[in-house]
PDB file of all heavy atoms in Angstrom:
ATOM      1  N   ARG E 624     -19.515   4.903  14.065  1.00  0.00           N
ATOM      2  CA  ARG E 624     -19.633   4.529  12.663  1.00  0.00           C
ATOM      3  C   ARG E 624     -19.236   5.717  11.806  1.00  0.00           C
ATOM      4  O   ARG E 624     -19.740   6.831  11.994  1.00  0.00           O
ATOM      5  CB  ARG E 624     -21.065   4.133  12.338  1.00  0.00           C
ATOM      6  CG  ARG E 624     -21.198   3.683  10.902  1.00  0.00           C
ATOM      7  CD  ARG E 624     -22.593   3.251  10.578  1.00  0.00           C
ATOM      8  NE  ARG E 624     -23.480   4.408  10.510  1.00  0.00           N
ATOM      9  CZ  ARG E 624     -24.805   4.281  10.377  1.00  0.00           C
ATOM     10  NH1 ARG E 624     -25.367   3.086  10.357  1.00  0.00           N
ATOM     11  NH2 ARG E 624     -25.559   5.342  10.295  1.00  0.00           N
ATOM     12  N   ASP E 627     -22.120   7.748   6.839  1.00  0.00           N
ATOM     13  CA  ASP E 627     -22.960   6.843   6.053  1.00  0.00           C
ATOM     14  C   ASP E 627     -24.128   7.560   5.392  1.00  0.00           C
ATOM     15  O   ASP E 627     -25.259   7.146   5.493  1.00  0.00           O
ATOM     16  CB  ASP E 627     -23.503   5.730   6.967  1.00  0.00           C
ATOM     17  CG  ASP E 627     -24.367   4.739   6.201  1.00  0.00           C
ATOM     18  OD1 ASP E 627     -24.176   4.599   4.983  1.00  0.00           O
ATOM     19  OD2 ASP E 627     -25.247   4.122   6.820  1.00  0.00           O
ATOM     20  N   ARG E 680     -22.619   5.865  -1.125  1.00  0.00           N
ATOM     21  CA  ARG E 680     -22.713   6.187   0.298  1.00  0.00           C
ATOM     22  C   ARG E 680     -21.812   5.238   1.069  1.00  0.00           C
ATOM     23  O   ARG E 680     -21.268   4.295   0.513  1.00  0.00           O
ATOM     24  CB  ARG E 680     -24.162   6.058   0.766  1.00  0.00           C
ATOM     25  CG  ARG E 680     -24.738   4.674   0.590  1.00  0.00           C
ATOM     26  CD  ARG E 680     -26.197   4.586   0.999  1.00  0.00           C
ATOM     27  NE  ARG E 680     -26.384   4.810   2.415  1.00  0.00           N
ATOM     28  CZ  ARG E 680     -27.351   4.241   3.140  1.00  0.00           C
ATOM     29  NH1 ARG E 680     -28.207   3.401   2.568  1.00  0.00           N
ATOM     30  NH2 ARG E 680     -27.473   4.494   4.406  1.00  0.00           N
ATOM     31  N   GLN E 722     -22.176  -0.055   5.218  1.00  0.00           N
ATOM     32  CA  GLN E 722     -22.580  -0.377   3.830  1.00  0.00           C
ATOM     33  C   GLN E 722     -21.656  -1.336   3.090  1.00  0.00           C
ATOM     34  O   GLN E 722     -21.625  -1.365   1.859  1.00  0.00           O
ATOM     35  CB  GLN E 722     -22.762   0.903   2.985  1.00  0.00           C
ATOM     36  CG  GLN E 722     -23.809   1.857   3.514  1.00  0.00           C
ATOM     37  CD  GLN E 722     -25.200   1.251   3.563  1.00  0.00           C
ATOM     38  OE1 GLN E 722     -25.495   0.307   2.831  1.00  0.00           O
ATOM     39  NE2 GLN E 722     -26.043   1.745   4.439  1.00  0.00           N
ATOM     40  N   MET E 758     -20.378  -2.930   9.670  1.00  0.00           N
ATOM     41  CA  MET E 758     -21.799  -3.248   9.689  1.00  0.00           C
ATOM     42  C   MET E 758     -22.005  -4.394   8.712  1.00  0.00           C
ATOM     43  O   MET E 758     -21.365  -4.456   7.673  1.00  0.00           O
ATOM     44  CB  MET E 758     -22.635  -2.063   9.195  1.00  0.00           C
ATOM     45  CG  MET E 758     -22.360  -0.791   9.894  1.00  0.00           C
ATOM     46  SD  MET E 758     -23.595  -0.178  11.023  1.00  0.00           S
ATOM     47  CE  MET E 758     -25.134  -0.759  10.599  1.00  0.00           C
ATOM     48  N   GLU E 760     -24.966  -5.186   6.672  1.00  0.00           N
ATOM     49  CA  GLU E 760     -26.292  -4.650   6.374  1.00  0.00           C
ATOM     50  C   GLU E 760     -26.665  -4.792   4.898  1.00  0.00           C
ATOM     51  O   GLU E 760     -27.649  -4.238   4.449  1.00  0.00           O
ATOM     52  CB  GLU E 760     -26.424  -3.204   6.856  1.00  0.00           C
ATOM     53  CG  GLU E 760     -25.356  -2.258   6.317  1.00  0.00           C
ATOM     54  CD  GLU E 760     -25.474  -0.841   6.908  1.00  0.00           C
ATOM     55  OE1 GLU E 760     -26.538  -0.478   7.421  1.00  0.00           O
ATOM     56  OE2 GLU E 760     -24.470  -0.112   6.826  1.00  0.00           O
ATOM     57  N   GLY E 781     -26.781  -4.366  10.714  1.00  0.00           N
ATOM     58  CA  GLY E 781     -27.652  -3.221  10.483  1.00  0.00           C
ATOM     59  C   GLY E 781     -28.939  -3.775   9.898  1.00  0.00           C
ATOM     60  O   GLY E 781     -29.122  -3.832   8.690  1.00  0.00           O
ATOM     61  N   ASN E 783     -31.859  -2.711   9.796  1.00  0.00           N
ATOM     62  CA  ASN E 783     -32.765  -1.818   9.052  1.00  0.00           C
ATOM     63  C   ASN E 783     -32.471  -1.934   7.560  1.00  0.00           C
ATOM     64  O   ASN E 783     -33.354  -2.216   6.747  1.00  0.00           O
ATOM     65  CB  ASN E 783     -32.569  -0.364   9.478  1.00  0.00           C
ATOM     66  CG  ASN E 783     -32.744  -0.157  10.962  1.00  0.00           C
ATOM     67  OD1 ASN E 783     -33.487  -0.898  11.608  1.00  0.00           O
ATOM     68  ND2 ASN E 783     -32.067   0.822  11.514  1.00  0.00           N
ATOM     69  N   ASP E 784     -31.203  -1.717   7.216  1.00  0.00           N
ATOM     70  CA  ASP E 784     -30.846  -1.812   5.800  1.00  0.00           C
ATOM     71  C   ASP E 784     -30.901  -3.253   5.298  1.00  0.00           C
ATOM     72  O   ASP E 784     -31.267  -3.503   4.160  1.00  0.00           O
ATOM     73  CB  ASP E 784     -29.447  -1.230   5.568  1.00  0.00           C
ATOM     74  CG  ASP E 784     -29.493   0.283   5.448  1.00  0.00           C
ATOM     75  OD1 ASP E 784     -30.424   0.783   4.785  1.00  0.00           O
ATOM     76  OD2 ASP E 784     -28.633   0.958   6.031  1.00  0.00           O
ATOM     77  N   ARG E 794     -37.195   1.377   3.060  1.00  0.00           N
ATOM     78  CA  ARG E 794     -37.506   1.559   4.483  1.00  0.00           C
ATOM     79  C   ARG E 794     -38.125   2.911   4.784  1.00  0.00           C
ATOM     80  O   ARG E 794     -38.741   3.104   5.830  1.00  0.00           O
ATOM     81  CB  ARG E 794     -36.255   1.338   5.344  1.00  0.00           C
ATOM     82  CG  ARG E 794     -35.149   2.318   5.075  1.00  0.00           C
ATOM     83  CD  ARG E 794     -33.882   1.904   5.789  1.00  0.00           C
ATOM     84  NE  ARG E 794     -33.664   2.653   7.017  1.00  0.00           N
ATOM     85  CZ  ARG E 794     -32.496   2.715   7.637  1.00  0.00           C
ATOM     86  NH1 ARG E 794     -31.448   2.059   7.165  1.00  0.00           N
ATOM     87  NH2 ARG E 794     -32.346   3.406   8.727  1.00  0.00           N
TER      88      ARG E 794
HETATM   89 MG1   MG Q 924     -27.765   1.135   7.840  1.00  0.00          MG
END
Side-chain angles (χ1 to χ4, degrees):
R624 182 178 72 187
D627 181 26
R680 60 183 295 211
Q722 300 299 336
M758 307 252 334
E760 55 184 340
N783 304 332
D784 278 318
R794 63 189 259 197

